[in-house]
Short mmCIF file of all heavy atoms in Angstrom, two decimals:
data_model
loop_
_atom_site.label_atom_id
_atom_site.label_comp_id
_atom_site.label_asym_id
_atom_site.label_seq_id
_atom_site.Cartn_x
_atom_site.Cartn_y
_atom_site.Cartn_z
N LEU A 18 98.36 104.27 128.91
CA LEU A 18 99.39 103.18 128.93
C LEU A 18 99.18 102.37 130.27
O LEU A 18 99.18 101.14 130.29
CB LEU A 18 100.81 103.74 128.83
CG LEU A 18 101.10 104.32 127.48
CD1 LEU A 18 102.42 105.14 127.52
CD2 LEU A 18 101.19 103.16 126.37
N GLU A 19 99.00 103.13 131.37
CA GLU A 19 98.81 102.44 132.66
C GLU A 19 97.56 101.66 132.74
O GLU A 19 97.49 100.55 133.24
CB GLU A 19 98.93 103.46 133.81
CG GLU A 19 98.92 102.85 135.20
CD GLU A 19 99.91 101.81 135.41
OE1 GLU A 19 101.11 101.96 134.98
OE2 GLU A 19 99.65 100.75 136.05
N ALA A 20 96.47 102.27 132.28
CA ALA A 20 95.11 101.53 132.21
C ALA A 20 95.20 100.33 131.38
O ALA A 20 94.72 99.26 131.81
CB ALA A 20 94.06 102.48 131.73
N SER A 21 95.97 100.41 130.25
CA SER A 21 96.10 99.23 129.39
C SER A 21 96.89 98.14 130.02
O SER A 21 96.64 96.98 129.91
CB SER A 21 96.73 99.62 128.03
OG SER A 21 95.88 100.52 127.38
N ARG A 22 97.99 98.56 130.73
CA ARG A 22 98.86 97.60 131.42
C ARG A 22 98.10 96.88 132.57
O ARG A 22 98.23 95.65 132.62
CB ARG A 22 100.09 98.36 132.06
CG ARG A 22 101.07 97.50 132.80
CD ARG A 22 102.21 98.26 133.48
NE ARG A 22 103.04 98.95 132.50
CZ ARG A 22 103.03 100.30 132.38
NH1 ARG A 22 102.35 101.03 133.22
NH2 ARG A 22 103.84 100.83 131.53
N SER A 23 97.35 97.68 133.24
CA SER A 23 96.63 97.05 134.40
C SER A 23 95.40 96.18 133.93
O SER A 23 95.01 95.37 134.71
CB SER A 23 96.10 98.13 135.39
OG SER A 23 95.12 98.95 134.83
N THR A 24 94.91 96.42 132.79
CA THR A 24 93.80 95.64 132.21
C THR A 24 94.33 94.34 131.55
O THR A 24 93.56 93.41 131.47
CB THR A 24 92.98 96.51 131.17
OG1 THR A 24 92.62 97.64 131.78
CG2 THR A 24 91.80 95.79 130.70
N ALA A 25 95.52 94.28 131.10
CA ALA A 25 96.11 93.13 130.37
C ALA A 25 95.96 91.93 131.24
O ALA A 25 96.23 92.05 132.48
CB ALA A 25 97.53 93.42 129.98
N PRO A 26 95.66 90.79 130.74
CA PRO A 26 95.59 90.44 129.34
C PRO A 26 94.35 90.74 128.57
O PRO A 26 94.16 90.40 127.44
CB PRO A 26 95.93 88.96 129.33
CG PRO A 26 95.13 88.47 130.52
CD PRO A 26 95.40 89.58 131.55
N LEU A 27 93.42 91.45 129.20
CA LEU A 27 92.19 91.92 128.59
C LEU A 27 92.45 93.11 127.86
O LEU A 27 93.36 93.94 128.21
CB LEU A 27 91.07 92.03 129.56
CG LEU A 27 90.71 90.85 130.46
CD1 LEU A 27 89.61 91.21 131.35
CD2 LEU A 27 90.38 89.63 129.68
N GLU A 28 91.66 93.47 126.77
CA GLU A 28 91.86 94.76 126.06
C GLU A 28 91.18 95.88 126.88
O GLU A 28 90.15 95.67 127.56
CB GLU A 28 91.06 94.63 124.70
CG GLU A 28 91.94 93.95 123.65
CD GLU A 28 91.44 94.24 122.24
OE1 GLU A 28 90.64 95.19 122.02
OE2 GLU A 28 91.97 93.53 121.38
N PHE A 29 91.79 97.04 126.81
CA PHE A 29 91.25 98.22 127.33
C PHE A 29 90.65 99.04 126.26
O PHE A 29 91.23 99.08 125.12
CB PHE A 29 92.44 99.00 128.02
CG PHE A 29 92.06 100.48 128.37
CD1 PHE A 29 91.28 100.69 129.48
CD2 PHE A 29 92.46 101.48 127.55
CE1 PHE A 29 90.89 102.06 129.83
CE2 PHE A 29 92.10 102.81 127.91
CZ PHE A 29 91.37 103.09 129.01
N ALA A 30 89.55 99.81 126.42
CA ALA A 30 88.99 100.61 125.41
C ALA A 30 88.32 101.88 125.99
O ALA A 30 87.75 101.83 127.03
CB ALA A 30 87.99 99.83 124.59
#
Side-chain angles (χ1 to χ4, degrees):
L18 294 167
E19 185 55 40
S21 298
R22 180 184 300 111
S23 67
T24 305
L27 305 179
E28 282 197 11
F29 167 79

